[in-house]
Amino acid sequence: MKEFGYQRAGDVSGAVALLTADPDARFLGGGTNLVDLMKSGVERPGLLVDVRQLPLDEIESTPGGGLRIGATVTNSDLAVHPEVRRRYPVLTQAVLAGASGQLRNMATVGGNLLQRTRCGYFTDVTKPCNKREPGSGCPAIEGEHHNHAILGASDHCVATHPSDMGVALTALDAVVTYETADGPGELALADFYLPVGDTPHRETALPPGALITGVTVPPAPVAARSRYRKVRERASYAFAIGSVAAALDVSDGVVRDVRLAFGAVASRPWRARAAERALTGAPADAETFAAAADAELAAARPLRDNTYKVTLMRNLVVAVLTELAEEAAR
């Protein structure tokens, strides 16, 4: 590991100033991803600016009925917060589906959204990778890619985003707030992650040097009946090979409102807009759910070894929506 400096930030503006002054600096939250990447040589910061002591560790109700979640709230604290559990059960389930208890105790909300792909070519510095070294190539396309993207990928990158939390927050239309040297800003999570295109090394729309200060989740009555379902390759903690965040409001057997997002199928959490359009106003039955999944997955472009993900995601969507519809009918 390359030698690096360490400085604990005393306030938000000071943290931003430290990063602005040093292009080799990185913010350090829980460090559960960054430190791993430093050990493997993918990340080589000259300075770590520790932001864990900043006053960004609260979860508060907003005047409109939503929640504001501070960037340094740990995943564990987020998952068990009573208002998160009551208003957005899909978010609690997604967080608890990720990592181990020890990791959730360290990991933070801001860091979770910024974690990097687990593509083996990205984390192996002896291999080419367009995300790590632009223009060097993407060996995953012809190599090991059974867990790679089927939606929104390009000839330059087929890696997937690993966050479970991000999938739930995408379905909930969350907004990321941040601070820069020029002042505060915000980005809807739908715009937060950039399409992979021919610039896979540019992953988010955050301005250079920006510090995530929090996430605002708007009120979403539909989320009272919501679920996160994750499929992984082992029973103990592991990253998803496919996941679904869903919220469903059914009245008189008809879908009145729905939120749907997919995980582990694209370079970013994938909002299933085509499926939502197909569902809204349609009968809440398995045939409708399957047709909605097919509408979304029509855009899938699987590789040699991950065609299974199309069937996997179709079955996940039908299973989760059927469960939610049955609960609504009781």
Side-chain angles (χ1 to χ4, degrees):
M1 184 186 294
K2 174 188 170 185
E3 288 190 10
F4 59 90
Y6 171 87
Q7 192 159 347
R8 179 172 292 171
D11 52 46
V12 170
S13 60
V16 171
L18 284 168
L19 209 80
T20 302
D22 185 350
D24 289 331
R26 299 284 188 278
F27 291 126
L28 176 68
T32 55
N33 184 213
L34 175 60
V35 174
D36 278 349
L37 294 176
M38 290 169 64
K39 291 176 181 176
S40 64
V42 174
E43 289 279 4
R44 297 171 56 83
L47 173 67
L48 291 182
V49 179
D50 190 338
V51 298
R52 283 184 62 92
Q53 301 303 313
L54 298 181
L56 302 172
D57 59 348
E58 299 290 332
I59 299 176
E60 304 169 310
S61 293
T62 63
L67 285 180
R68 174 173 167 74
I69 304 163
T72 64
V73 169
T74 66
N75 289 15
S76 293
D77 287 346
L78 175 64
V80 301
H81 193 279
E83 289 305 307
V84 176
R85 293 166 63 94
R86 184 176 71 85
R87 300 189 213 176
Y88 311 102
V90 65
L91 181 54
T92 286
Q93 294 165 21
V95 174
L96 292 177
S100 65
Q102 293 92 333
L103 288 168
R104 290 195 295 270
N105 287 341
M106 287 295 295
T108 62
V109 170
N112 186 284
L113 296 178
L114 292 176
Q115 63 182 305
R116 312 293 299 278
T117 181
R118 264 61 178 183
C119 174
Y121 298 101
F122 172 74
T123 56
D124 183 349
V125 295
T126 69
K127 301 290 194 306
C129 171
N130 285 327
K131 185 179 286 294
R132 178 167 33 77
E133 296 179 14
S136 61
C138 180
I141 293 174
E142 296 297 333
E144 173 57 50
H145 57 235
H146 79 283
N147 192 24
H148 285 59
I150 60 171
L151 290 165
S154 76
D155 292 340
H156 301 276
C157 183
V158 292
T160 56
H161 192 268
S163 173
D164 296 296
M165 181 194 301
V167 180
L169 289 173
T170 295
L172 294 171
D173 292 325
V175 175
V176 177
T177 56
Y178 60 83
E179 188 76 23
T180 72
D182 296 325
E186 64 179 34
L187 282 166
L189 204 58
D191 302 321
F192 182 78
Y193 297 106
L194 297 173
V196 64
D198 59 1
T199 56
H201 58 290
R202 297 183 63 240
E203 295 179 339
T204 77
L206 277 177
L211 172 67
I212 293 178
T213 53
V215 177
T216 300
V217 187
V222 67
R225 181 169 291 108
S226 59
R227 187 148 300 159
Y228 186 75
R229 181 70 52 80
K230 173 178 178 177
V231 177
R232 50 193 172 190
E233 292 182 322
R234 61 185 184 193
S236 61
Y237 79 90
F239 294 99
I241 58 173
S243 68
V244 168
L248 189 69
D249 179 22
V250 176
S251 177
D252 298 326
V254 174
V255 176
R256 303 300 181 186
D257 195 4
V258 61
R259 306 287 182 84
L260 202 59
F262 299 167
V265 295
S267 62
R268 51 183 172 166
W270 187 267
R271 185 67 180 269
R273 298 287 190 188
E276 290 178 347
R277 288 193 294 270
L279 287 163
T280 304
D285 56 32
E287 183 177 348
T288 297
F289 301 153
D294 289 341
E296 191 67 43
L297 294 166
R301 298 292 181 268
L303 300 166
R304 182 194 63 229
D305 297 331
N306 66 1
T307 54
Y308 76 94
K309 282 197 174 188
V310 178
T311 303
L312 171 70
M313 294 306 298
R314 186 180 194 269
N315 291 342
L316 266 181
V317 169
V318 174
V320 171
L321 292 179
T322 298
E323 289 177 9
L324 293 173
E326 288 175 350
E327 289 178 8
R330 290 173 192 153

